[in-house]
Amino acid sequence: MCGIVGYSGPNNSVGPILEGLTRLEYRGYDSAGICLKLEGELEIIKKEGKLDNLKTLISEKNPFSSIGIGHTRWATHGGVTTDNAHPHGNEIFAVVHNGIIENASVLKKELIEQGYKFRSQTDSEVFLVLLTKFYSETSDTLKSISRAFKTIVGNSAFVIMEKASDKLYCLKRSAPLVVGENDETAEAYVSSDPFALVGYAPKLYFPQDSVICESVVQNNKVSIHFYELDLTESNRYKTQSNVMTIDATSKGPYEHFMLKEIHEQSSLIDKLGAYYLKGEGRKKLDELKNFKTPTWHFAACGTAWHAGLVIKNYFEQINRQRVSIEIASEFRYKNPILNKDEIGLFISQSGETADTLACQELCEEQGLKSFSIVNVEGSTLFRNADKNFLIHAGVEIGVASTKAFTLQALTGYLMSQSINSNLDEPRLMSEIQLLSHRIAEICSHSEVLIKEIATKIYLHKGFIFTGRGKYFPIALEGALKLKEIAYVHAEGYAAGELKHGPIALIDESIVNIAIVGPELFEKTISNIEEVKARRGIIVVVGPKDNEELKQVADFYIGLDFEGLQDLSPLYVNVVLQFLSYHIAKLKGTDIDKPRNLAKSVTVE
Ligand code: AGP
């Protein structure tokens, strides 16, 4: 969602801010803006639409400013207009905001009654006006920030610059925020994502909630100060070196990041297997045996929730342990039955998904231990968890999650094997290598066939993905992927559930992508026959060289399940990733940045 980048230092802020915002484009946005200090005045340049629109405006002016804040907005309050784009500013302050001010309408009404004027429909401008009001009463920036922040309700991150100084201020509540420092070049940075600062700021600071951070660049030196809201000094922040690399920003030979990320899966699987079975991760997995829980509580959103469903199967089938899994936005408000001796497991690529973080907080408040399966080291989820299981997927740029799903599920599988003390069994590494090998085969051979099938079905009205048992989560994930990137109606169903309603939809305009595993084979075939009898188009993804499947299918993608056992859902899923990709490509959609979607959903 919204991206924030700020800079203060001896050089022109425009370059690093625009580069940072470009790197954050993948997160999704609909307008962009920047505030610079030109001849001592705060000057805001902003524009609805793509970042390129802003870049064009800036290049016409060719400005130099040693301090600046930039923002890409994903609209929540107020439509997609230039006025609603950030920064919001006046002659004293400029502000960028990520999040939602829940009491904005009440506050706005009060402020208007007091004579304050608003230029936008955003909740964010309320913070600017509050700041200005408190500054008129105190003439003190820190006090004004603190008072404004205490007045608002909701989860947000703010970065503030002012006309009176070259300081950058920022603070947040349950929203991502990172401050960067480069001592050698005497530059200070701030962002909503460390990825924007890679190559600029070797040292990162992660302030905790309600800590005001003030970055000062003076006499060729950077100093970062932290304050509590009562303005006493604070030590509630973490420091970390920026270990990320920027090679992820290149698509290499691939047309889209999504395609690149699908292809990366095979080697990432090998690496993750080695990390957890033989490398540094082994200790982490071994420690799992020290934790006992009568019930696991999983919470996650979207694709991460589907990965959770796969992992639930592992924990139940391999470990015979109880797992309750909920969509995070449901879990947080359902007053879940939680006990202190239980463990919450939160699954997330970004580690910044607002609903998932809220579930983590809820579990911690109730005394549960909190574990994460997460990609972004240093993310909020990561920092707040008692124990983290990193998936080491590297940066995932495609909004549609692919490699993160596979590595989340694989991490869960290894956790489950660790609970059963199986990590030293040689078959485990072989299984992982086999999965990697089979996925590589799909990438090099089957992709052509999948692409061909896509050309035959992409104009159909609707798609129903079906699967049973361990393939049911894959049916859900396959349908989600197709909806997201091809903008076509798709649903995932348990194959046996079709006749309880959705079969009414079936006619020749509907495609059934039927996942058939070696297990429950005959029963799944019967489900396919039911669809076929109603003229539905059948695409079977199932065991290769099977005559029965060839008979029943209009299109048949034969796979080699031999030896994969529990990991076969991850294998099948790659076929569906390719299928969605090729359908979307034929439809000409914006595959890496699908409409209306954000990579990291930092508001609820
Ligand atoms: C996946 O393709 C989606 N874009 C989305 O469902 C995503 O998985 C979800 O928003 C959760 O994100 P997270 O893994 O970063 O928490």
Side-chain angles (χ1 to χ4, degrees):
M1 284 187 151
C2 305
I4 293 177
V5 185
Y7 171 94
S8 172
N11 299 313
N12 193 357
S13 59
V14 174
I17 291 175
L18 290 183
E19 167 63 21
L21 292 181
T22 306
R23 288 188 202 170
L24 301 189
E25 269 192 296
Y26 76 98
R27 298 169 68 105
Y29 69 101
D30 43 51
S31 52
I34 191 167
C35 178
L36 303 170
K37 198 180 263 186
L38 301 176
E39 293 171 12
E41 300 294 329
L42 299 176
E43 181 152 341
I44 291 171
I45 309 168
K46 53 188 185 178
K47 190 76 189 146
E48 66 182 83
K50 292 284 176 198
L51 190 56
D52 280 344
N53 299 347
L54 176 71
K55 287 180 181 170
T56 308
L57 281 182
I58 293 175
S59 66
E60 283 161 9
K61 297 189 182 215
N62 196 18
F64 181 98
S65 170
S66 58
I67 183 164
I69 52 178
H71 188 267
T72 43
R73 171 177 189 250
W74 191 88
T76 56
H77 288 54
V80 181
T81 64
T82 297
D83 280 343
N84 288 339
H86 298 212
H88 296 286
N90 52 31
E91 59 295 340
I92 308 171
F93 295 111
V95 168
V96 289
H97 170 222
N98 179 5
I100 290 179
I101 301 175
E102 288 172 10
N103 54 346
S105 56
V106 181
L107 292 170
K108 188 167 176 174
K109 195 164 164 268
E110 284 170 14
L111 289 162
I112 289 172
E113 278 162 13
Q114 291 164 30
Y116 288 96
K117 301 246 176 309
F118 285 80
R119 291 180 202 167
S120 76
Q121 300 147 336
T122 62
D123 53 340
S124 315
E125 197 182 1
V126 170
F127 188 79
L128 169 78
V129 175
L130 282 173
L131 208 58
T132 313
K133 169 183 151 79
F134 294 136
Y135 191 75
S136 72
E137 293 164 14
T138 61
S139 302
D140 185 303
T141 303
L142 281 172
K143 274 187 196 157
S144 308
I145 292 174
S146 164
R147 280 179 66 182
F149 193 72
K150 282 194 248 178
T151 310
I152 59 156
V153 175
N155 298 333
S156 290
F158 297 97
V159 181
I160 303 131
M161 62 185 271
E162 60 180 351
K163 181 180 167 182
S165 82
D166 278 351
K167 294 176 183 175
L168 279 179
Y169 303 90
C170 62
L171 80 171
K172 61 110 186 175
R173 185 184 299 125
S174 292
L177 189 68
V178 56
V179 175
E181 180 183 303
N182 189 330
D183 287 329
E184 264 180 41
T185 54
E187 292 172 308
Y189 297 85
V190 57
S191 181
S192 50
D193 186 335
F195 185 44
L197 308 187
V198 176
Y200 290 109
K203 187 168 181 188
L204 302 178
Y205 297 88
F206 294 93
Q208 289 185 20
D209 281 357
S210 309
V211 172
I212 306 176
C213 173
E214 178 192 57
S215 310
V216 188
V217 178
Q218 233 170 22
N219 304 329
N220 245 350
K221 275 189 79 169
V222 192
S223 47
I224 318 270
H225 308 282
F226 298 90
Y227 303 99
E228 295 295 333
L229 290 180
D230 63 6
L231 303 188
T232 56
E233 223 172 276
S234 172
N235 57 9
R236 288 193 305 118
Y237 59 88
K238 288 187 181 159
T239 46
Q240 192 183 298
S241 313
N242 201 345
V243 289
M244 290 165 100
T245 57
I246 46 170
D247 59 348
T249 50
S250 131
K251 282 186 231 165
Y254 299 100
E255 194 178 340
H256 295 97
F257 280 108
M258 181 180 175
L259 190 61
K260 176 188 176 210
E261 287 158 3
I262 294 173
H263 278 267
E264 279 172 358
Q265 293 177 110
S266 170
S267 69
L268 289 170
I269 287 168
D270 282 331
K271 283 190 197 146
L272 195 74
Y275 170 80
Y276 276 120
L277 294 178
K278 302 206 160 105
E280 282 172 50
R282 175 63 193 252
K283 201 165 150 248
K284 270 257 139 91
L285 280 187
D286 283 336
E287 283 164 11
L288 256 180
K289 277 182 255 136
N290 305 332
F291 296 90
K292 298 269 176 285
T293 172
T295 304
W296 292 87
H297 295 277
F298 292 3
C301 302
T303 287
W305 177 65
H306 297 153
L309 292 171
V310 175
I311 300 168
K312 173 184 160 82
N313 271 334
Y314 293 144
F315 279 35
E316 288 179 349
Q317 299 312 314
I318 299 172
N319 311 112
R320 304 305 285 167
Q321 296 201 353
R322 274 180 218 285
V323 175
S324 132
I325 177 162
E326 294 281 353
I327 291 169
S329 55
E330 291 295 313
F331 181 94
R332 64 184 291 190
Y333 293 117
K334 67 174 276 203
N335 192 10
I337 303 167
L338 302 170
N339 294 302
K340 279 192 174 43
D341 57 348
E342 294 168 337
I343 301 176
L345 176 66
F346 308 98
I347 306 159
S348 173
Q349 187 285 126
S350 61
E352 300 295 354
T353 302
D355 284 318
T356 308
L357 293 176
C359 298
Q360 183 187 40
E361 206 176 311
L362 181 71
C363 283
E364 280 174 359
E365 277 166 13
Q366 308 251 350
L368 278 78
K369 285 256 169 314
S370 128
F371 289 5
S372 90
I373 294 182
V374 66
N375 191 28
V376 181
E377 191 171 1
S379 59
T380 309
L381 188 73
F382 177 93
R383 293 198 307 280
N384 294 346
D386 296 305
K387 202 156 263 310
N388 288 294
F389 296 90
L390 284 165
I391 63 166
H392 291 294
V395 180
E396 190 178 62
I397 303 260
V399 166
S401 187
T402 51
K403 59 180 180 175
F405 172 87
T406 302
L407 297 165
Q408 283 161 349
L410 183 60
T411 303
Y413 177 65
L414 289 166
M415 288 168 73
S416 132
Q417 293 294 344
S418 165
I419 293 169
N420 272 17
S421 305
N422 290 341
L423 294 184
D424 289 319
E425 287 187 15
R427 57 132 188 121
L428 209 52
M429 189 57 112
S430 316
E431 267 177 40
I432 291 171
Q433 284 165 348
L434 192 61
L435 174 69
S436 153
H437 174 70
R438 296 273 162 81
I439 289 178
E441 271 177 357
I442 298 176
C443 294
S444 55
H445 306 308
S446 320
E447 200 198 336
V448 183
L449 169 67
I450 299 168
K451 196 169 165 182
E452 205 180 296
I453 296 174
T455 60
K456 305 273 171 45
I457 59 172
Y458 80 102
L459 290 174
H460 279 70
K461 194 172 87 189
F463 292 76
I464 299 189
F465 290 70
T466 49
R468 278 176 177 264
K470 60 188 177 196
Y471 304 106
F472 172 45
I474 304 306
L476 294 175
E477 174 59 10
L480 177 67
K481 219 80 310 172
L482 189 62
K483 282 187 259 230
E484 278 188 295
I485 62 168
Y487 314 154
V488 59
H489 185 72
E491 293 194 53
Y493 257 94
E497 185 67 8
L498 269 193
K499 60 171 91 56
H500 297 283
I503 203 158
L505 294 169
I506 304 291
D507 62 18
E508 63 285 347
S509 68
I510 301 293
V511 179
N512 175 204
I513 313 282
I515 308 169
V516 187
E519 311 82 359
L520 296 170
F521 185 84
E522 293 303 336
K523 288 194 189 302
T524 318
I525 301 254
S526 307
N527 299 135
I528 296 174
E529 294 285 8
E530 290 157 9
V531 176
K532 200 175 165 70
R534 286 155 184 90
R535 289 172 289 118
I537 310 300
I538 311 289
V539 178
V540 165
V541 185
K544 66 175 187 178
D545 303 328
N546 184 289
E547 287 310 314
E548 217 173 332
L549 290 179
K550 280 184 194 163
Q551 287 295 317
V552 80
D554 294 295
F555 305 99
Y556 173 40
I557 304 171
L559 297 176
D560 184 0
F561 284 77
E562 195 57 44
L564 280 178
Q565 278 91 15
D566 294 318
L567 294 178
S568 58
L570 282 56
Y571 173 47
V572 172
N573 188 53
V574 176
V575 171
L576 305 190
Q577 292 173 347
F578 272 123
L579 192 63
S580 293
Y581 173 82
H582 287 296
I583 292 176
K585 208 173 147 204
L586 289 159
K587 290 197 162 245
T589 58
D590 190 351
I591 292 181
D592 282 335
K593 285 178 251 156
R595 68 184 181 198
N596 306 335
L597 294 181
K599 180 66 184 163
S600 172
V601 184
T602 49
V603 295
E604 67 170 294

